[in-house]
Amino acid sequence: MGNQLVMYEEELQQINGICDGLHRDSNAKAVLVIDKNGQAIASAGEVDQLDVTSLSSLTAGNVAATGGIASLLKEKEFAGQFHEGEKTHVHISLVAQRVILLVLFDERSSLGLVRLRVRKAANELAAVLDALIKKMEAGSQPSVFAEITDADIDNLFND
Amino acid sequence: MSFINYSSREINCKIVYYGPGLCGKTTNLQYIYNKTNPEAKGKMISLATETERTLFFDFLPLSLGEIRGFRTRFHLYTVPGQVFYDASRKLILKGVDGVCFVGDSQVERMEANIESLDNLRTNLQEQGYDLDKLPYVVQYNKRDLPNAAPLSELEELLNPTKVQAFEAVAPKGVGVFDTLKAVAKLVLTELKKGG
Ligand SMILES: Nc1nc2c(ncn2[C@@H]2O[C@H](COP(=O)(O)OP(=O)(O)O)[C@@H](O)[C@H]2O)c(=O)[nH]1
Ligand SMILES: [Mg+2]
């Protein structure tokens, strides 16, 4: 299964840094980085009251559906999505075909500012993902699975 | 597509419950949700129509414990069963690590079962997966109904490759966790092979 995403301490710190920067520079309420398949990777801002797991899965479903619509319309991809709420607005974009950047903001910010800052953050994020994928492909890092035995897996299911 | 996070020490995997409409996929997830400790689960999300038919997917995040200091987290998804939701089903299969095919044991549903199984194989192929190489189990649900077909017939029609199969009565929980554990175990074993 060569199709997995692996996250290491070093890259996660970089991604967290990008999240923090975007949160600050765009005056956002919260920023999430989500794997295209719906797993949360990193976040910044007011996330304590958020159900990050649910939000991640639904956002990924939304992006997948929107991508599906784009291909039906023979569009390559829609650049981003914006949902306007009464208090909270949502900006969603896909980065490097791999991860999703979700920004929640309110009247302290604006769509224009968010768009501008997202563009910069997306470029930075794409560079980190590139490096991460090279690292994964090089296989230079020891895998947790090298240590896990069949007995470990069996034990997980004995109750 | 599994997601292994060395920083938070988590292994995340995606399992999809597939099968014809009304075979009991959502019921499987509901039972798992109801019987799991609050610490081990997140919220169950159902994107359903007003009549509770699955519209896009059900989603249940579940923690199955630790292996060597890594928390194992499984994201369970169901697909909408009706034929016309095919585009949605394809999306949900993206990044799948393991599949459970839920068959409806009722004789009247045999054609729908076969059609859904063919559809699973085709949709996986479109994404570059081969059902025979994926972690994959079968569940025969609704064993409690009087019109349930004999097991041998289900095996012949719905499990030609003879993968692990489980008899189930999902609302009562019969076979539900056995099925989940079997596919989860296959997923981890596959990851171990690949890693
Ligand atoms: N008798 C019986 N009914 C079941 C069983 N599993 C599911 N059902 C019922 O079948 C209907 C459809 O189930 P649902 O989980 O929504 O099917 P889905 O379309 O595959 O998600 C519901 O009314 C369930 O209560 C079973 O094992 N036995
Ligand atoms: Mg359903």
Side-chain angles (χ1 to χ4, degrees):
Chain A
M1 238 185 274
N3 197 18
Q4 59 176 244
L5 184 63
V6 179
M7 186 62 63
Y8 304 103
E9 189 71 44
E10 186 188 350
E11 282 78 12
L12 190 67
Q13 268 175 21
Q14 292 168 354
I15 293 174
N16 278 326
I18 295 168
C19 271
D20 286 336
L22 176 59
H23 171 243
R24 190 185 53 236
D25 296 343
S26 65
N27 288 331
K29 283 169 79 167
V31 173
L32 291 185
V33 176
I34 302 161
D35 157 58
K36 217 167 79 171
N37 295 307
Q39 327 259 14
I41 297 175
S43 63
E46 303 158 30
V47 289
D48 288 350
Q49 300 97 310
L50 291 177
D51 180 346
V52 169
T53 307
S54 300
L55 200 56
S56 301
S57 159
L58 287 172
T59 303
N62 183 326
V63 168
T66 310
I69 293 170
S71 69
L72 281 180
L73 299 178
K74 311 246 184 304
E75 282 286 333
K76 200 167 140 251
E77 167 190 319
F78 297 119
Q81 295 185 49
F82 169 57
H83 301 291
E84 186 171 6
E86 249 170 45
K87 292 206 193 85
T88 305
H89 318 305
V90 184
H91 187 275
I92 299 172
S93 48
L94 184 61
V95 179
Q97 296 297 323
R98 191 86 203 219
V99 300
I100 298 162
L101 199 49
L102 178 85
V103 182
L104 303 180
F105 63 100
D106 58 18
E107 77 286 346
R108 288 172 292 175
S109 182
S110 69
L111 180 58
L113 179 65
V114 168
R115 274 212 184 111
L116 183 71
R117 300 306 189 208
V118 159
R119 210 169 298 147
K120 174 167 167 270
N123 286 334
E124 294 170 3
L125 206 49
V128 175
L129 289 170
D130 256 7
L132 187 63
I133 285 162
K134 290 219 178 77
K135 201 164 170 177
M136 268 166 62
E137 282 170 357
S140 52
Q141 305 294 313
S143 162
V144 49
F145 286 101
E147 283 174 29
I148 290 177
T149 62
D150 289 342
D152 288 331
I153 296 174
D154 280 335
N155 284 336
L156 188 62
F157 298 103
N158 288 342
D159 51 13
Chain B
M1 183 184 69
S2 58
F3 171 35
I4 298 160
N5 193 331
Y6 283 87
S7 185
S8 58
R9 302 187 74 75
E10 281 176 358
I11 299 167
N12 294 277
C13 312
K14 174 173 180 176
I15 294 175
V16 174
Y17 283 68
Y18 210 93
L22 300 178
C23 67
K25 301 174 293 293
T26 299
T27 310
N28 263 273
L29 260 63
Q30 276 164 346
Y31 186 85
I32 293 165
Y33 180 81
N34 290 335
K35 293 290 167 186
T36 306
N37 294 331
E39 329 67 90
K41 68 185 173 194
K43 200 190 281 171
M44 176 161 166
I45 290 179
S46 289
L47 298 180
T49 65
E50 278 168 22
T51 52
E52 306 208 342
R53 303 291 304 266
T54 305
L55 176 63
F56 193 5
F57 57 74
D58 303 302
F59 166 69
L60 175 60
L62 205 64
S63 209
L64 284 187
E66 282 195 7
I67 301 186
R68 305 252 166 162
F70 275 74
R71 207 146 76 98
T72 59
R73 300 180 58 191
F74 289 84
H75 283 184
L76 311 185
Y77 285 83
T78 73
V79 297
Q82 290 118 298
V83 176
F84 56 87
Y85 285 131
D86 201 38
S88 304
R89 275 194 295 279
K90 287 181 191 172
L91 295 178
I92 295 157
L93 281 178
K94 284 190 179 171
V96 67
D97 294 302
V99 177
C100 170
F101 179 81
V102 180
D104 190 324
S105 293
Q106 299 178 90
V107 175
E108 300 82 340
R109 296 298 287 160
M110 221 44 69
E111 231 166 288
N113 285 329
I114 292 169
E115 193 181 341
S116 175
L117 190 56
D118 282 348
N119 177 257
L120 168 63
R121 205 171 262 286
T122 313
N123 282 346
L124 282 171
Q125 260 161 11
E126 265 181 41
Q127 323 261 358
Y129 295 103
D130 178 352
L131 182 59
D132 298 328
K133 296 198 177 123
L134 266 183
Y136 170 55
V137 301
V138 173
Q139 179 186 79
Y140 305 120
N141 191 32
K142 307 203 180 180
R143 296 307 294 156
D144 57 322
L145 292 178
N147 52 346
L151 189 63
S152 56
E153 192 181 325
L154 292 164
E155 277 284 295
E156 194 183 317
L157 290 172
L158 304 179
N159 191 10
T161 52
K162 299 285 168 267
V163 298
Q164 285 181 75
F166 300 87
E167 294 185 83
V169 184
K172 299 221 161 66
V174 177
V176 169
F177 276 99
D178 293 339
T179 309
L180 171 64
K181 285 178 182 179
V183 66
K185 196 169 155 181
L186 289 177
V187 167
L188 291 173
T189 308
E190 183 66 31
L191 277 176
K192 181 172 152 48
K193 266 198 250 160

